[in-house]
Amino acid sequence: MSIKEYFSSLFKGLYSLIKGMEVTGKELVTKKVTEQYPENRDSLQIPERFRATLQFVYDEEGYHKCTGCKTCERNCPNGTIQITTKMVDLPNGKKKMKLDKYIYDLGSCTFCDLCVLSCPFKAIEFSNDFEQSVFRREALVKQLNYLPEKEKPAPAPVVKPATSAPNAEAATKPAAAPKSADAQATNSENKENK
């Protein structure tokens, strides 16, 4: 190593030391900002689009929109959502598939938002409640439809309107029986013979 290279590397080392001390000096005199997290919950600003945990969307009457179609379960990349359904009898005698349990595992969720985007009924959304720490992993498995489900009111019976006078007369007269093709053929033959 020559003397020129030695002094060149020495000055480069001193220059980088001074640059580093300049950054440290600026931070030394800069005003510090400390988050007082538990105490400042009232003034804490959480971004509106922050994804924290999945929840149902309820309407003003307290009904959720989930039908149990399992679209979100199929689109979840790591099996965070498990939906079970049941068949119920409707008042009109038909059967309908209804949501039984909507299980969501917050511990394995990647917050990718695919479930929310693919829901055809806009029944689920992400809240921005970030305080989800627990002591046991089992506590991260949540049932979203934990509220007791309200029964929807039965549809009102259909009442036929009263008929008016001209229609009533038409209804009381016996309707002429439709003629069959054979009867029409015999009538046309009789007319030709006359």
Side-chain angles (χ1 to χ4, degrees):
M1 177 189 267
S2 69
I3 294 178
K4 185 178 179 182
E5 290 174 348
Y6 172 75
F7 282 111
S8 171
S9 63
L10 181 68
F11 288 126
K12 283 182 184 176
L14 285 174
Y15 177 74
S16 65
L17 178 66
I18 292 170
K19 271 303 219 192
M21 293 303 285
E22 181 183 340
V23 171
T24 306
K26 283 181 184 175
E27 289 300 318
L28 186 65
V29 295
T30 303
K31 183 180 176 186
K32 304 299 178 267
V33 178
T34 305
E35 281 288 338
Q36 303 294 329
Y37 160 60
E39 292 83 19
N40 69 346
R41 285 184 182 157
D42 298 334
S43 63
L44 195 62
Q45 296 293 327
I46 306 296
E48 188 178 320
R49 291 174 46 181
F50 178 75
R51 300 177 194 153
T53 184
L54 200 60
Q55 66 183 11
F56 271 174
V57 176
Y58 287 90
D59 61 7
E60 56 276 347
E61 296 173 2
Y63 299 109
H64 62 76
K65 301 176 184 178
C66 184
T67 61
C69 68
K70 299 185 180 186
T71 304
C72 54
E73 181 181 18
R74 287 190 299 272
N75 286 322
C76 183
N78 57 350
T80 299
I81 299 170
Q82 294 176 358
I83 298 174
T84 55
T85 56
K86 61 182 176 181
M87 294 299 285
V88 293
D89 294 326
L90 296 177
N92 59 4
K94 295 182 180 178
K95 291 187 180 271
K96 180 181 178 183
M97 186 175 67
K98 195 172 183 182
L99 177 68
D100 186 27
K101 287 185 181 178
Y102 193 107
I103 306 297
Y104 168 65
D105 186 3
L106 178 63
S108 65
C109 183
T110 58
F111 309 102
C112 64
D113 205 31
L114 288 175
C115 54
V116 175
L117 293 174
S118 65
C119 181
F121 303 103
K122 306 293 182 215
I124 52 178
E125 66 183 1
F126 273 105
S127 71
N128 61 359
D129 177 22
F130 66 94
E131 295 177 329
Q132 300 297 326
S133 58
V134 291
F135 289 106
R136 297 175 298 115
R137 279 187 71 83
E138 296 84 31
L140 292 173
V141 179
K142 301 178 180 187
Q143 181 175 347
L144 294 191
N145 60 332
Y146 63 91
L147 295 174
E149 197 162 330
K150 297 179 182 180
E151 290 296 324
K152 291 193 177 181
V158 179
V159 178
K160 294 183 180 178
T163 57
S164 61
N167 291 339
E169 291 174 10
T172 55
K173 290 182 182 177
K179 294 184 179 180
S180 65
D182 296 333
Q184 289 176 356
T186 12
N187 283 345
S188 62
E189 287 175 8
N190 289 340
K191 287 180 184 176
E192 289 175 5
N193 291 338
K194 289 181 183 180

